[in-house]
Amino acid sequence: MKQFLNFINGEFVATRKTFENRAPVDNRVIGLVHEAGQAEVDAAVAAARSALDGDWGRMTVVKRVELLHAVADEINRRFDDFLEAELADTGKPRSLAAHIDIPRGAANFKVFADIVKNVPTESFEMATPDGGTAVSYALRSPLGVVAVVCPWNLPLLLMTWKVGPALACGNTVIVKPSEETPATATLLGEVMAHVGIPKGVYNVVHGFGPGSAGEFLTRHPGVNGITFTGETRTGEAIMAAAAKGVRPVSFELGGKNAGIVFADADFDKAVAGITRSAFENCGQVCLGTERVYVQRPIFDKFVQALKEKAEALKIGPSGEPGVGLGPLISAEHKAKVMSYYELARAEGATVVTGGGAPDMPAALAEGHWVQPTIWTGLPESARVIREEIFGPCCHIAPFDTEEEAIALANATDYGLATTVWTQNLGTAHRMARAVEVGLCWINSWFLRDLRTAFGGAKASGIGREGGVHSLEFYTELRNVMVKL
């Protein structure tokens, strides 16, 4: 039985209280996770603070960059270990984890290290009232001890997306991974120790939210800032905790993202793109598409084509060749998604395909499998259209004009992402300006340049990370004025 221990001050720490880690593909127990209590969180914060005051805090940028490159290289050297850990925790297709999760997880350390090494700061010269001269310049100081609260859908990638820039900027971190996916955050502790990251710089505390490691960490007065990816409701609770001490937060929260397909789009590419955005990672992608709006002349053709694509997805465990759809993360999440499948019928949806759970072989029967599902015919007021489901499903509705498509896309409390498909350059740029989101893809989806800003609008988040924008959260800008 695997034991997932906390990683505090460079050492793996067991606790008396444990909980089970179960595999989504068959619900078997694959390990025991050691839950951190208040004492362990206190120890992690103390270790992180001590590292700031010690070797890490005195380390040059050049040396930090060298160490973070070593972290990336070691993740890639142990690629198979990280891949197997991620597959066991999430059950996602091997091709997805091998091409996105692990490589991008490693790349986050190098990209942000190089950005910090090369980013300039401002300086100005001014005349003083006495006829002299003064020069002012900016210094970037680390924020301090940063709490990193991670989701379960892309565990390594989204954790290192925050840990990478935080460490590059000279902070120390305490990671609280999802209770569903403890493996890669724990494994990264081995990497940190192996390459010589000083003790206390990277810490991991396992547990849940309320009354557990998550609450103890986010409420801790020794934490200087909190970064979180997850659902909006949890973000609201963390934001309330951060208000004590007026600590900054950076949130990427929920979404109910729209996909918009114009009649002049490259039809086959649009169908392929929406197939990915609706069903990839079993729909468990915050940037995924759950609302699809298709211009009326191609509506019926598009619905039929997407139906065929959904039904062609092979459902199964990560090890099987050609698998395009894995399980949902947990029994609890499956129950949630299935409740929306039932609600869609109750609200009067036409079920184009799916709407239930597939029949799986006996060895996988206890896994958290659901069918990719497409609906039509619902009014925009339906809960299935208003609320985030986070499963492999979407509703497709027709639209006539560009103005109507904009109104439909913006009629939500969320504002994370959208994907627009058109071959008209004017339409593309007008849509990008008009849709109220943090990320807008034109004729693509999930295409990312790590140097660009990432984050949501409205209830989908606070702040921007990525490239130099990460420095806005992970550092504090200090002005120095020198009278010559």
Side-chain angles (χ1 to χ4, degrees), residues 121-243:
T121 55
E122 63 188 19
S123 65
F124 301 97
E125 183 177 303
M126 62 173 281
T128 58
D130 63 1
T133 304
V135 173
S136 63
Y137 63 92
L139 289 176
R140 290 194 179 275
S141 300
L143 183 60
V145 177
V146 177
V148 180
V149 185
C150 308
W152 44 255
N153 57 331
L154 297 155
L156 180 69
L157 190 160
L158 293 180
M159 182 261 288
T160 60
W161 173 251
K162 298 174 181 296
V163 170
L167 297 190
C169 290
N171 300 283
T172 55
V173 298
I174 305 165
V175 174
K176 208 296 282 182
S178 168
E179 61 273 16
E180 305 287 357
T181 52
T184 48
T186 307
L187 188 57
L188 188 57
E190 295 182 15
V191 168
M192 295 288 179
H194 177 79
V195 304
I197 297 290
K199 292 182 177 182
V201 172
Y202 174 82
N203 306 275
V204 179
V205 290
H206 292 296
F208 303 89
S212 187
E215 181 177 353
F216 301 148
L217 180 61
T218 55
R219 290 189 179 277
H220 202 290
V223 169
N224 300 111
I226 305 165
T227 179
F228 167 70
T229 297
E231 65 177 3
T232 300
R233 183 176 58 183
T234 304
E236 291 172 345
I238 293 174
M239 194 170 184

Side-chain angles (χ1 to χ4, degrees), residues 75-158:
I75 292 173
N76 286 324
R77 189 186 72 81
R78 298 189 60 180
F79 188 95
D80 290 342
D81 295 338
F82 277 92
L83 179 61
E84 295 307 320
E86 202 81 324
L87 293 177
D89 268 0
T90 66
K92 65 178 59 179
R94 178 177 292 270
S95 59
L96 183 62
H99 287 92
I100 295 180
D101 296 61
I102 311 307
R104 278 274 302 276
N108 284 332
F109 286 101
K110 286 190 176 181
V111 167
F112 287 108
D114 291 342
I115 286 171
V116 167
K117 180 176 67 175
N118 294 307
V119 70
T121 55
E122 63 188 19
S123 65
F124 301 97
E125 183 177 303
M126 62 173 281
T128 58
D130 63 1
T133 304
V135 173
S136 63
Y137 63 92
L139 289 176
R140 290 194 179 275
S141 300
L143 183 60
V145 177
V146 177
V148 180
V149 185
C150 308
W152 44 255
N153 57 331
L154 297 155
L156 180 69
L157 190 160
L158 293 180

Side-chain angles (χ1 to χ4, degrees), residues 6-13 39-52 54-56 172-175 189 192-193 197-205:
N6 302 284
F7 186 71
I8 300 171
N9 201 29
E11 305 290 339
F12 286 99
V13 177
E40 286 75 30
V41 172
D42 287 345
V45 173
R49 177 61 54 190
S50 179
L52 279 175
D55 291 344
W56 184 251
T172 55
V173 298
I174 305 165
V175 174
M192 295 288 179
I197 297 290
K199 292 182 177 182
V201 172
Y202 174 82
N203 306 275
V204 179
V205 290

Side-chain angles (χ1 to χ4, degrees), residues 333-345:
H333 190 53
K334 178 182 177 180
K336 174 192 171 182
V337 172
M338 291 296 287
S339 74
Y340 276 101
Y341 283 13
E342 294 170 9
L343 177 61
R345 287 191 176 89

Side-chain angles (χ1 to χ4, degrees), residues 153-154 252-259 273-292 388-391 393-394 416-419 441 445-446:
N153 57 331
L154 297 155
E252 192 257 290
L253 305 176
K256 190 69 176 178
N257 308 309
I274 296 296
T275 300
R276 281 191 65 219
S277 67
F279 305 125
E280 189 153 283
N281 201 30
C282 205
Q284 299 168 125
V285 180
C286 52
L287 302 166
T289 302
E290 293 188 2
R291 299 181 296 140
V292 183
E388 183 180 35
I389 301 172
F390 220 58
C393 56
C394 64
L416 185 52
T418 194
T419 175
W441 282 286
W445 178 76
F446 211 72

Side-chain angles (χ1 to χ4, degrees), residues 383-448:
R383 285 180 57 197
V384 166
I385 294 178
R386 305 295 302 172
E387 299 173 12
E388 183 180 35
I389 301 172
F390 220 58
C393 56
C394 64
H395 179 268
I396 313 179
F399 72 91
D400 293 300
T401 67
E402 183 179 317
E403 292 73 21
E404 183 185 2
I406 293 167
L408 288 166
N410 288 340
T412 174
D413 293 334
Y414 297 104
L416 185 52
T418 194
T419 175
V420 178
W421 297 83
T422 177
Q423 296 189 80
N424 185 298
L425 191 61
T427 301
H429 286 296
R430 288 192 299 271
M431 294 298 293
R433 182 177 292 274
V435 180
E436 298 163 350
V437 291
L439 299 99
C440 180
W441 282 286
I442 306 295
N443 298 327
S444 60
W445 178 76
F446 211 72
L447 186 63
R448 287 283 299 134

